Amino acid sequence: MLPFSFEWIWDVGHMVFHGGLWYALSIIGIGLTYCIVKAAIDSAKAGGGGHHHH
Amino acid sequence: MDSALIPEGVKRCPFWQFLLALAVTGAVLLWGVYAMLLCWFKGLNITGMNDYYGFALWIWADLAVIALGGGAFFTGLLKYVIGKDELKNLINYAVLIGFICYSSALLILAIDVGQPLRNWFIFWHANVHSMLTEVAFCLSCYFGVLCVEYLPLVLENRQADRIPFFHNLTHNLHEIMAVFAATGAFLSFFHQGSLGGVAGVLFGRPFGYREHILIWPFTFFLFTWSAAACGPCFTIFITRLTEKITGKRLVKPEVIHLLAKIAGWMLTTYIIAKICDTLYWAFSTAPAMGFTLSHFYTNNSLYGYWILFAEIVVCGIVPAVVLITRGLRERPGLLFAAVTLASIGVCLNRWVMVLQVLAPPVMPFDQWALYMPTWPEVATTILPVAYGVIMVLISYRYLPIFPQEKELNPVES
């Protein structure tokens, strides 16, 4: 799965398959992290009172 | 406690009724869990699988729920990427149905692996030449996307929404949902396609084998297309079913009609492509491999020509015509019949591509290999249905799934 794994081979198959997996995981992970961090900052700025966007 | 969790301004059944429904469905769920544990502890020899049938009934169920759950990615694509804003009134339920279908698919895969402790092998010791590896990667990642899409709905629960952090998180997730929706659509394209591609590359199984466009057999594209066409039909079917059970209008007709119209055109184009594919396979691919069409459909009543007629005409052309014709689509009974037929059609297609593929003889000394599932297979196939009903019961009761419910069903104070 990772380049330091004993099964890893630097060929197109591994790079495409695992590259695709990491790409998708990165988007999900970064997106979620961004939302969580921003929500924490927004909550701190509002002094715990919350605000209503909807 | 219970009433404090129910969304404001809506009416729900008494708590005892809710508990009774949970208990009845839970009993069915436990029956399925028992069968699942038997499969793990006693092995796959308790199933009806044999040397001919390497796929059990639950694998058909797996492919069927993945196709039916396709309403989530396609409705998400329409709402967040293409900008069909009216679908915001149905997207929550589409996401919930997708979440149920995809978690069920992963559960079914876990049963099929047979050794739960080694589930992670598929990621760490991946066979990069396998379409099923791609399916496993995409399915897992897409389930992650669905969790992210379902999360704001959970956080919008009346009590959770009072916590400022959750409220802000919900807002932020809504803000960038297009990114997740686009990722989900991308992942869905490949995993739906690869599921179709698995049958299409099996040249030793001429019933499923198809010609290729570059490395992709025709079935790769047909699977994605059919999921995008029939998934939204299943979303409409479940929505209408929920409305009938609850005795309420939950979504305005114009929202349903818009999705039905788009699904209808998807179904129309899909069924044309499916007919072309079938004709080319029947009159070019199969004869080139030494087979005639009658070789695949005669000799037994289970896999007669009726199955081809049912899939393409009854569950394909008929619902497609109803859904693309405004006068027919706007008649509630006909709409319900059409989305039901389309949902059955995609399940029938998966049945044919998973099980009938293995049935016809391929060697001169072979016989038709008919398959009879055992009770643990039936129980593990019903398991996700019971799980889905429980998820819908809980989500409908405590989460604001239908934004138009309050307006359509004003509660007298």
Side-chain angles (χ1 to χ4, degrees):
Chain A
M1 184 182 185
L2 297 167
F4 52 77
S5 164
F6 71 98
E7 288 179 344
W8 181 267
I9 303 166
W10 284 103
D11 63 1
V12 175
H14 279 75
M15 286 189 280
V16 168
F17 266 70
H18 290 286
L21 175 67
W22 296 333
Y23 176 67
L25 287 176
S26 302
I27 290 176
I28 299 167
I30 292 169
L32 205 51
T33 307
Y34 166 78
C35 290
I36 291 169
V37 171
K38 192 163 180 292
I41 293 170
D42 290 347
S43 304
K45 275 184 186 167
H51 59 285
H52 293 271
H53 297 278
H54 309 300
Chain B
M1 175 62 188
D2 172 69
S3 56
L5 292 168
I6 293 172
E8 273 177 293
V10 299
K11 199 169 171 359
R12 295 289 179 262
C13 68
F15 190 54
W16 69 267
Q17 269 185 19
F18 172 66
L19 281 184
L20 185 67
L22 275 185
V24 172
T25 324
V28 180
L29 181 91
L30 287 177
W31 179 54
V33 170
Y34 173 63
M36 181 179 78
L37 293 175
L38 280 182
C39 290
W40 278 344
F41 288 115
K42 292 199 168 185
L44 299 180
N45 55 317
I46 64 165
T47 69
M49 286 191 278
N50 54 37
D51 288 345
Y52 282 96
Y53 273 98
F55 291 152
L57 185 66
W58 65 56
I59 291 295
W60 160 73
D62 191 72
L63 268 72
V65 294
I66 289 173
L68 295 173
F73 88 82
F74 191 63
T75 314
L77 186 77
L78 291 171
K79 158 77 177 78
Y80 295 111
V81 182
I82 296 176
K84 292 280 177 193
D85 201 47
E86 303 94 311
L87 296 177
K88 70 183 176 200
N89 299 305
L90 199 53
I91 188 70
N92 290 346
Y93 211 31
V95 166
L96 173 63
I97 293 165
F99 180 88
I100 293 167
C101 288
Y102 280 84
S103 51
S104 298
L106 286 172
L107 175 73
I108 292 170
L109 278 181
I111 300 170
D112 206 49
V113 169
Q115 169 50 285
L117 294 177
R118 294 183 181 173
N119 281 353
W120 59 280
F121 275 31
I122 206 163
F123 299 101
W124 195 264
H125 304 291
N127 172 8
V128 295
H129 303 291
S130 165
M131 280 198 180
L132 281 177
T133 300
E134 184 179 303
V135 172
F137 283 9
C138 292
L139 196 60
S140 311
C141 289
Y142 184 46
F143 179 64
V145 170
L146 280 172
C147 288
V148 175
E149 289 183 343
Y150 184 54
L151 184 63
L153 194 58
V154 175
L155 297 180
E156 278 174 2
N157 171 270
R158 195 165 140 195
Q159 298 303 325
D161 194 54
R162 288 182 179 173
I163 300 167
F165 174 74
F166 288 165
H167 180 85
N168 289 325
L169 182 57
T170 306
H171 172 74
N172 292 338
L173 285 168
H174 280 306
E175 289 283 300
I176 64 160
M177 199 53 83
V179 175
F180 295 117
T183 310
F186 173 79
L187 291 166
S188 272
F189 176 81
F190 281 100
H191 85 251
Q192 298 275 5
S194 293
L195 283 171
V198 170
V201 296
L202 297 178
F203 58 84
R205 292 288 177 185
F207 183 85
Y209 182 76
R210 290 296 189 278
E211 300 293 332
H212 292 51
I213 298 171
L214 300 176
I215 62 166
W216 297 286
F218 296 161
T219 43
F220 182 98
F221 305 101
L222 289 174
F223 263 50
T224 307
W225 207 332
S226 57
C230 301
C233 290
F234 185 66
T235 305
I236 297 170
F237 168 76
I238 295 290
T239 306
R240 280 282 184 243
L241 201 62
T242 311
E243 287 183 333
K244 282 178 195 297
I245 292 168
T246 57
K248 292 178 189 173
R249 270 257 173 249
L250 298 170
V251 183
K252 286 185 179 173
E254 52 265 33
V255 179
I256 297 279
H257 293 156
L258 172 66
L259 189 61
K261 180 183 164 188
I262 295 169
W265 281 108
M266 289 298 291
L267 189 60
T268 302
T269 49
Y270 161 71
I271 213 68
I272 291 169
K274 172 72 185 170
I275 291 168
C276 294
D277 167 76
T278 305
L279 290 173
Y280 186 79
W281 165 76
F283 297 110
S284 178
T285 309
M289 299 173 88
F291 294 93
T292 60
L293 191 62
S294 62
H295 184 89
F296 301 108
Y297 287 102
T298 52
N299 263 338
N300 72 86
S301 53
L302 186 62
Y303 292 126
Y305 283 111
W306 69 269
I307 206 164
L308 189 63
F309 181 79
E311 186 194 335
I312 291 181
V313 179
V314 181
C315 299
I317 295 172
V318 172
V321 169
V322 171
L323 293 175
I324 61 171
T325 311
R326 187 174 182 178
L328 301 176
R329 181 174 69 230
E330 292 184 353
R331 289 168 68 176
L334 274 180
L335 175 71
F336 190 69
V339 294
T340 307
L341 284 175
S343 303
I344 293 171
V346 79
C347 294
L348 199 56
N349 174 262
R350 286 354 182 215
W351 173 272
V352 166
M353 294 304 287
V354 171
L355 294 170
Q356 191 174 349
V357 161
L358 305 173
V362 288
M363 303 296 276
F365 49 82
D366 275 344
Q367 299 291 318
W368 273 82
L370 299 181
Y371 159 77
M372 184 59 71
T374 58
W375 79 262
E377 289 168 274
V378 175
T380 45
T381 303
I382 293 173
L383 165 64
V385 180
Y387 155 73
V389 173
I390 290 173
M391 282 294 292
V392 168
L393 283 172
I394 296 172
S395 300
Y396 172 68
R397 189 170 184 84
Y398 297 122
L399 306 178
I401 291 180
F402 298 105
Q404 294 176 320
E405 182 184 357
K406 215 188 293 185
E407 183 189 345
L408 290 167
N409 308 274
V411 178
E412 291 171 22
S413 54

